[in-house]
Amino acid sequence: MFENLQERLQRTFKSLRGQAVLNEENMQETLRELRLALLEADVNFKVVKQFIDQVQAKAVGQQVATALSPGEQVIKIVRDELIEILGKDTARVKFASQPPTVVLMAGLQGSGKTTTSGKLAHWFKNGGHRPLLVSVDVYRPAAREQLKVVAQAIKAQIYEGQVTEGNTATVERLAKEARREAINSGCDVLIVDTAGRLHIDDQLMEEMQSLKRLLNPSEILFVADAMTGQDAVRSANEFHKKLTLTGVVLTKMDGDARGGAALSIRQVTGAPIKFIGVGEKYDALEPFHPDRIVSRILGMGDILSLIERAEQTVDKKKAQDIAARALSGDGFSLEDFRDQLRQVRKMGSIQSLMGMLPSIGPFAGLQKHADKIDENQINHVEAIINSMTAYERTHHDVINGSRRKRIARGSGRTVQEVNNLLRQYAQMRKMFKQMGKGNMMRKLAGMKMG
Amino acid sequence: MIQTLFGSTENKPGLFDRMKEAVARTRENLSERIDEVVAFNKEIDRNTLDELEATLLGADLGSATTHQVLEKLRERADRKQIKDGEELKRLLKEELLAILTAANTPPVERPEGVPEVVLVVGVNGTGKTTTIGKLAQTLRSDGKTVLLCAADTFRAAAIEQLEIWGQRTGTEVIRTRAGGDPAAVLYDALEAANARHIDCLIVDTAGRLHTKTNLMAELEKMRRTAQRLIPGAPHEVLLVIDATTGQNGLQQARQFTDAAAVTGVVLTKLDGTAKGGVVVAIARELGLPVRYVGVGEKAGDLLRFDPNEFVESLIS
């Protein structure tokens, strides 16, 4: 499935190559594949439609960046848009001005509320807080027992209380008692684990509202399973309508679910995703990184990381400066030379860079050649330049025999290699100078860099 | 709604009302949508069917299954063979039903006098333990002797949870301490089932993500243990899937079938608004039948799967 999508997308890229401006027509194919990708990732179909329309409106008329094909440009817009939607105010946990800060956990059955409560308590403890756990799940068999075991494992305080009857009155009493206990025992955070409930269960949703009134929580976290499908919008929306969620915890992210529910939930509730659960251990709770989940939802990590690296690492301004100086005559120093090498390096190893390109279409056969590039050579050249003094790098003429010997020793290379490098550098300078003289060439170089 | 659709074992107006309310609240059901689309377009052509795509996708059928189902209808529509909305509904149901019934194979026959061993597997939080409690109730009310095995020794208080279900249904639970070896407690349970001539042994396992290779290998080990003590065991391996699960359900079914040779699916939490359409995709791709559906948290809230009623609920 995954390869298919990448290949299909690549085909659409190819057919679009050489077009400078995005229009409805040349985006259509890419957007169709994108729609499928999002649906396969379990993004709700209505959210998908809304999102694609949004992207299309934004993309039409945009210039295609020189480094990208129109298809890739669309994906780039999509990625940026997704990161923006998912990443907006991914604020930290809000604390109450008057402790205890109450965190109310909400969610459907089996989404992972109890495990997440434990992980959160662990997270608060690590941050120097004193959390108190309480389970008001008086319905599911052994639910309160489960939180007790969790609390023991992470050495967090728990308020157990007495339960004789499984009803809302008991739930409210437990909540009040736990709050008092938190104040009495000097705990600054109270984490309230609740029973899993269906969003259409009016009675239990009312209980949730009553808990909110009683406890005035700073955070109401909706715990959602990353594997949730199309129904995520409905459940999240109902919980949000009744409780006004302050954040979302996406659990079971250590599986292979694409996690499209994250986008659905974010779109319908507007509540930020604050944490993700990535394992069964109690430290397996991570802050949410929108960029990571975006590549997961789109399922085209390779194309995305290529786009990302290309735009992040090749510092266009710097390249332009170097080019201008090189072409103007004597400006191209060994320092500049090293900068250029580093630019190449930052793109990642050349092999892996080639490997990221799909082995079809315009890139077919490129991978084979990748093996022949000797990465070590680039490392050696950089080592040699690193062993020069700053003065030497800008005034290569002063590098005489004894300096060469010192540089060779410093870089762990031979004098011969130092000689070779200096010779090649001199040739390059000469070449640039000649290029600079021809006006044509300057224009060409300028265009490429710009 | 579901309760009546599936032919309830109990008469429970509370659930019925809740389901009816839920369905009423979802105004996007397929049946209404078809009426709407047909009323607007008058004639049934390709475009009419495109409109339905979203509704099938919205039920978690997935794009591949949705495409297959609609493609067949599109061919007919091209030849103007679909008269009206009613016929379109009927044909759509037929297509979905064909996929589900093709997969609906009965469990394997097992030798006389041997306890039936049912292994219950699935990812975390789908409702394995609750399903086992309800299954015990169903089998006991059929007059069978049942034994439960608490082989989820990993999750906090999982053993206690199963024990409470044991008490509720009057079923004995074979257990070990938390953190113990699941294969060892399974061994004890198998021996007990043999010695006491139990009709059915149901084995609870720890929830595990299908991507964790070592945990999946543990299931293979449990299978081997079962086989050694009872011929042909486990006779049924039930994969519990949460109705809210999206397309990842397919991946779960694939991986669990590889590791634990799943023979059937239990679709849980169908009392919510999720349609559980991913089981159609699972039936289509892996040929796995759905055996039961879970519609609540009470002991009686487990129903035998009926493809007709399920398709009806997918559409309505």
Side-chain angles (χ1 to χ4, degrees):
Chain A
M1 207 63 183
F2 181 66
E3 275 79 10
N4 280 343
L5 178 73
Q6 291 233 15
E7 273 176 37
R8 287 201 312 261
L9 268 172
Q10 208 54 48
R11 248 199 321 278
T12 75
F13 291 170
K14 198 181 167 192
S15 66
L16 293 173
R17 220 158 267 281
Q19 301 187 28
V21 176
L22 293 175
N23 56 40
E24 265 173 47
E25 224 165 289
N26 65 14
M27 283 192 303
Q28 207 182 28
E29 233 178 311
T30 307
L31 289 179
R32 207 185 54 219
E33 297 297 341
L34 202 85
R35 179 174 168 272
L36 279 177
L38 293 172
L39 285 171
E40 284 299 325
D42 290 323
V43 180
N44 181 269
F45 69 93
K46 277 191 232 151
V47 176
V48 171
K49 189 178 178 317
Q50 193 186 350
F51 178 74
I52 300 255
D53 290 349
Q54 205 173 315
V55 165
Q56 190 164 1
K58 203 162 193 171
V60 165
Q62 273 205 27
Q63 292 283 334
V64 177
T66 25
L68 305 173
S69 74
E72 284 165 336
Q73 178 87 11
V74 174
I75 302 288
K76 183 180 133 44
I77 295 169
V78 166
R79 186 211 53 184
D80 294 350
E81 194 74 20
L82 279 175
I83 290 180
E84 208 195 303
I85 294 173
L86 288 167
K88 238 188 296 176
D89 30 78
T90 335
R92 301 268 105 226
V93 169
K94 208 163 50 212
F95 287 92
S97 51
Q98 177 105 34
T101 296
V102 178
V103 181
L104 188 60
M105 312 295 284
L108 300 172
Q109 291 93 338
S111 54
K113 285 175 297 304
T114 306
T115 306
T116 305
S117 298
K119 287 177 180 178
L120 268 177
H122 184 77
W123 185 83
F124 278 117
K125 266 187 72 182
N126 280 352
H129 295 278
R130 280 193 65 189
L132 177 71
L133 285 162
V134 64
S135 168
V136 298
D137 182 354
V138 297
Y139 308 106
R140 182 169 63 93
R144 287 163 41 76
E145 179 69 22
Q146 185 183 350
L147 190 70
K148 191 174 147 190
V149 176
V150 169
Q152 274 162 4
I154 57 169
K155 298 188 174 65
Q157 221 170 306
I158 185 165
Y159 177 74
E160 288 187 59
Q162 295 294 318
V163 172
T164 43
E165 257 182 301
N167 56 29
T168 297
T170 310
V171 168
E172 289 169 350
R173 178 175 54 78
L174 277 175
K176 276 189 263 185
E177 286 169 3
R179 193 188 158 82
R180 202 171 313 132
E181 171 77 12
I183 295 167
N184 289 343
S185 59
C187 291
D188 60 342
V189 178
L190 174 64
I191 300 170
V192 185
D193 183 20
T194 63
R197 62 202 70 210
L198 284 170
H199 48 289
I200 50 168
D201 187 331
D202 290 335
Q203 201 189 329
L204 283 182
M205 289 306 278
E206 265 165 39
E207 179 188 292
M208 212 63 203
Q209 288 172 308
S210 134
L211 277 175
K212 182 184 174 182
R213 277 193 302 274
L214 274 176
L215 295 166
N216 189 26
S218 309
E219 291 279 359
I220 302 175
L221 299 178
F222 182 62
V223 182
D225 187 324
M227 295 178 278
T228 313
Q230 299 288 319
D231 199 51
V233 289
R234 214 169 289 155
S235 52
N237 191 32
E238 286 293 316
F239 270 93
H240 188 59
K241 268 204 320 224
K242 302 228 159 85
L243 297 168
T244 319
L245 306 169
T246 63
V248 176
V249 182
L250 207 58
T251 61
K252 306 177 203 174
M253 281 290 282
D254 47 333
D256 58 357
R258 300 261 299 276
L263 182 62
S264 302
I265 295 172
R266 176 77 217 225
Q267 281 290 64
V268 298
T269 65
I273 297 160
K274 296 206 167 170
F275 293 99
I276 57 169
V278 291
E280 305 218 23
K281 298 211 177 69
Y282 296 113
D283 57 0
L285 185 76
E286 291 179 359
F288 174 69
H289 292 285
D291 45 339
R292 289 188 207 155
I293 197 167
V294 164
S295 64
R296 193 161 162 170
I297 290 175
L298 289 175
M300 42 187 115
D302 291 7
I303 293 172
L304 281 178
S305 51
L306 185 66
I307 294 174
E308 262 158 40
R309 285 204 224 178
E311 68 178 6
Q312 273 168 16
T313 54
V314 182
D315 186 338
K316 282 190 183 160
K317 183 84 178 66
K318 207 168 193 175
Q320 226 165 355
D321 286 351
I322 292 173
R325 256 184 294 145
L327 295 176
S328 71
D330 293 336
F332 187 68
S333 67
L334 278 158
E335 198 107 34
D336 295 332
F337 187 32
R338 188 178 57 176
D339 272 350
Q340 296 249 283
L341 283 180
R342 284 181 179 165
Q343 293 276 359
V344 173
R345 175 84 47 75
K346 264 201 281 181
M347 294 277 292
S349 84
I350 293 173
Q351 269 98 333
S352 78
L353 201 67
M354 299 272 195
M356 279 195 294
L357 298 166
S359 58
I360 51 147
F363 306 110
L366 260 182
Q367 269 96 336
K368 267 186 297 187
H369 298 295
D371 301 339
K372 291 182 193 148
I373 298 167
D374 188 359
E375 299 244 357
N376 277 337
Q377 214 147 13
I378 298 178
N379 292 338
H380 295 163
V381 170
E382 196 184 340
I384 292 170
I385 302 178
N386 282 345
S387 293
M388 297 172 182
T389 64
Y391 187 79
E392 285 167 348
R393 280 184 217 130
T394 44
H395 301 79
H396 66 104
D397 295 336
V398 302
I399 308 179
N400 57 21
S402 85
R403 280 177 192 262
R404 285 174 197 215
K405 228 183 269 174
R406 192 206 78 238
I407 292 166
R409 257 204 320 278
S411 61
R413 308 313 307 168
T414 63
V415 176
Q416 212 176 358
E417 280 173 283
V418 178
N419 287 340
N420 269 338
L421 166 66
L422 287 170
R423 198 167 47 241
Q424 278 168 0
Y425 166 67
Q427 278 170 2
M428 257 163 96
R429 266 173 73 91
K430 213 163 123 194
M431 198 176 74
F432 281 141
K433 224 189 264 181
Q434 275 166 358
M435 272 166 64
K437 278 176 191 152
N439 244 346
M440 251 328 265
M441 293 301 284
R442 189 179 305 180
K443 254 193 199 154
L444 251 176
M447 248 167 65
K448 212 172 187 173
M449 293 300 178
Chain B
M1 192 66 159
I2 297 262
Q3 197 78 18
T4 51
L5 291 178
F6 285 93
S8 169
T9 48
E10 273 175 59
N11 194 17
K12 290 203 306 167
L15 187 69
F16 177 84
D17 288 342
R18 249 170 37 200
M19 291 305 302
K20 207 167 70 177
E21 202 183 328
V23 172
R25 211 173 300 189
T26 46
R27 297 284 299 170
E28 285 129 13
N29 69 58
L30 201 52
S31 185
E32 276 180 26
R33 186 85 187 119
I34 289 176
D35 292 340
E36 195 182 307
V37 168
V38 171
F40 185 75
N41 290 352
K42 297 285 183 261
E43 191 174 85
I44 289 161
D45 56 12
R46 272 183 177 254
N47 295 335
T48 322
L49 293 166
D50 286 346
E51 300 267 328
L52 300 180
E53 192 191 30
T55 322
L56 289 178
L57 289 171
D60 285 315
L61 255 72
S63 55
T65 307
T66 299
H67 182 79
Q68 186 201 305
V69 168
L70 285 183
E71 206 44 49
K72 293 207 178 142
L73 296 182
R74 282 193 184 107
E75 281 165 23
R76 285 183 188 236
D78 279 352
R79 283 180 264 131
K80 306 243 177 269
Q81 284 177 340
I82 306 176
K83 282 201 307 288
D84 53 18
E86 285 310 309
E87 185 167 15
L88 178 56
K89 278 182 217 171
R90 188 177 56 78
L91 290 170
L92 186 58
K93 278 182 209 167
E94 266 174 26
E95 288 298 332
L96 293 169
L97 207 56
I99 295 172
L100 287 170
T101 43
N104 206 9
T105 49
V108 282
E109 289 288 313
R110 77 196 140 84
E112 264 309 293
V114 161
E116 181 184 15
V117 178
V118 181
L119 193 64
V120 180
V121 300
V123 299
N124 317 61
T126 52
K128 285 177 293 302
T129 310
T130 308
T131 298
I132 289 170
K134 294 191 274 190
L135 191 55
Q137 172 80 8
T138 308
L139 294 172
R140 300 242 325 137
S141 50
D142 287 352
K144 288 186 176 156
T145 50
V146 182
L147 190 65
L148 302 181
C149 170
D152 180 358
T153 59
F154 180 79
R155 203 198 76 212
I159 298 171
E160 288 79 353
Q161 189 181 347
L162 191 67
E163 281 195 317
I164 293 172
W165 276 110
Q167 286 158 18
R168 280 187 189 173
T169 58
T171 317
E172 198 188 330
V173 180
I174 303 290
R175 59 165 291 175
T176 178
R177 61 182 170 79
D181 180 6
V185 66
L186 173 61
Y187 190 97
D188 291 348
L190 290 161
E191 280 204 318
N194 261 338
R196 297 180 211 170
H197 303 289
I198 294 287
D199 291 325
C200 185
L201 170 68
I202 313 173
V203 185
D204 190 15
T205 64
R208 63 202 74 213
L209 290 179
H210 48 288
T211 47
K212 312 258 154 121
T213 348
N214 52 339
L215 291 178
M216 294 304 275
E218 187 186 274
L219 287 179
E220 281 181 42
K221 187 182 166 194
M222 291 174 76
R223 276 187 61 86
R224 285 197 303 274
T225 306
Q227 239 153 30
R228 264 207 314 277
L229 268 83
I230 294 180
H235 308 96
E236 179 100 286
V237 179
L238 293 176
L239 173 67
V240 180
I241 289 191
D242 184 329
T244 59
T245 308
Q247 293 312 295
N248 192 249
L250 249 180
Q251 199 58 23
Q252 291 170 24
R254 278 189 208 114
Q255 301 293 330
F256 274 100
T257 303
D258 275 357
V262 174
T263 58
V265 171
V266 180
L267 188 61
T268 59
K269 309 184 197 175
L270 213 52
D271 46 337
T273 48
K275 301 276 191 181
V278 72
V279 297
V280 180
I282 291 172
R284 175 178 160 266
E285 196 172 309
L286 298 164
L288 281 179
V290 184
R291 294 266 194 254
Y292 298 95
V293 294
V295 292
E297 293 175 336
K298 304 219 168 53
D301 292 339
L302 187 76
L303 309 169
R304 272 194 190 284
F305 179 73
D306 179 330
N308 279 302
E309 308 299 348
F310 181 73
V311 166
E312 200 70 46
S313 80
L314 266 185
I315 294 183
S316 61

